[in-house]
């Protein structure tokens, strides 16, 4: 369980070349030992350890595992627009966010009140997900699914850092 201090937003950290190098190396291999990072960057292991701690404590960087959804058997990706009736979009969005196959939930302004991204293993599980699971949430008036037929970019490790 995260403490309030651990989840608090802090001031942005100014990144130097060492910080950026640590981030770049951990993007390539999130389990790279600090000793190897230090050797690559020409600094001490203690410097790497302290920098990683500072980057994590400031919420500037987080090292996480990313699942390859296709390798896990989820071959169907859908963007689904959700029209809401009888409840607030925020309340419906909170319910949608609890569903494991839903990996992105956004309250929106436009044609849909909520927009979600979902994964399904096959047409049968997709039907169940749409008709029973998503359609069964109180306040869901209409679902507008769009099946991705060709994913040109799915970059789960994207962060707004630019090489200088």
């Amino acid at each position: 369980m995260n403490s309030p201090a651990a989840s608090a937003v802090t001031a942005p950290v100014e990144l130097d070349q060492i910080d950026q190098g640590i981030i770049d190396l951990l993007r390539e291999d999130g389990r790279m030992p600090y000793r190897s990072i230090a050797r690559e960057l020409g600094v001490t292991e203690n410097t790497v350890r302290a920098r990683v701690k500072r980057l994590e404590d400031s919420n500037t960087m987080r090292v996480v595992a990313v699942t390859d959804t296709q390798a896990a058997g989820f071959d169907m990706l859908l963007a689904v627009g959700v029209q809401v009736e009888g409840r607030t979009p925020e309340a419906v969005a909170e319910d949608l966010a609890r569903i494991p196959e839903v990996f992105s939930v956004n309250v929106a302004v436009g044609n849909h009140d909520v927009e979600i991204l979902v994964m399904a293993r096959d047409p049968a599980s997709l039907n169940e997900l749409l008709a029973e699971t998503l359609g069964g949430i109180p306040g869901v008036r209409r679902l507008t699914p769009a099946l991705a037929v060709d994913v040109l970019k799915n970059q789960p490790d994207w962060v707004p850092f630019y090489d200088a």
Side-chain angles (χ1 to χ4, degrees):
M1 185 154 119
N2 290 340
S3 68
S7 61
V9 176
T10 59
V13 171
E14 187 82 22
L15 298 177
D16 63 16
Q17 286 184 320
I18 295 171
D19 295 325
Q20 191 62 55
I22 291 169
I23 291 168
D24 291 344
L25 289 169
L26 288 173
R27 273 188 184 159
E28 290 176 31
D29 179 359
R31 297 189 299 182
M32 181 179 264
Y34 290 163
R35 179 175 294 180
S36 299
I37 295 171
R39 188 174 24 251
E40 287 279 331
L41 299 177
V43 296
T44 68
E45 186 175 343
N46 284 338
T47 297
V48 172
R49 183 172 280 104
R51 295 289 186 105
V52 168
K53 181 171 178 15
R54 178 177 60 91
L55 292 168
E56 289 179 333
D57 288 350
S58 68
N59 291 323
T60 302
M61 178 188 79
R62 195 169 8 151
V63 178
V64 297
V66 177
T67 302
D68 180 336
T69 55
Q70 283 191 311
F74 290 87
D75 292 327
M76 304 181 82
L77 170 67
L78 287 93
V80 181
V82 182
Q83 289 181 346
V84 174
E85 184 175 82
R87 291 178 73 199
T88 66
E90 292 80 8
V92 172
E94 287 176 13
D95 287 348
L96 292 166
R98 291 185 190 98
I99 299 169
E101 295 88 352
V102 175
F103 66 92
S104 176
V105 178
N106 304 290
V107 175
V109 174
N111 291 333
H112 305 106
D113 301 305
V114 179
E115 294 179 348
I116 62 177
L117 291 176
V118 301
M119 297 293 297
R121 293 184 184 279
D122 52 46
S125 65
L126 174 60
N127 185 49
E128 181 179 333
L129 177 65
L130 291 172
E132 296 175 26
T133 307
L134 300 177
I137 291 181
V140 170
R141 179 176 177 264
R142 176 179 296 160
L143 299 171
T144 307
L147 178 64
V149 293
D150 190 11
V151 178
L152 301 176
K153 181 177 183 180
N154 181 9
Q155 190 174 349
D157 64 341
W158 180 87
V159 290
F161 295 126
Y162 303 100
D163 294 331

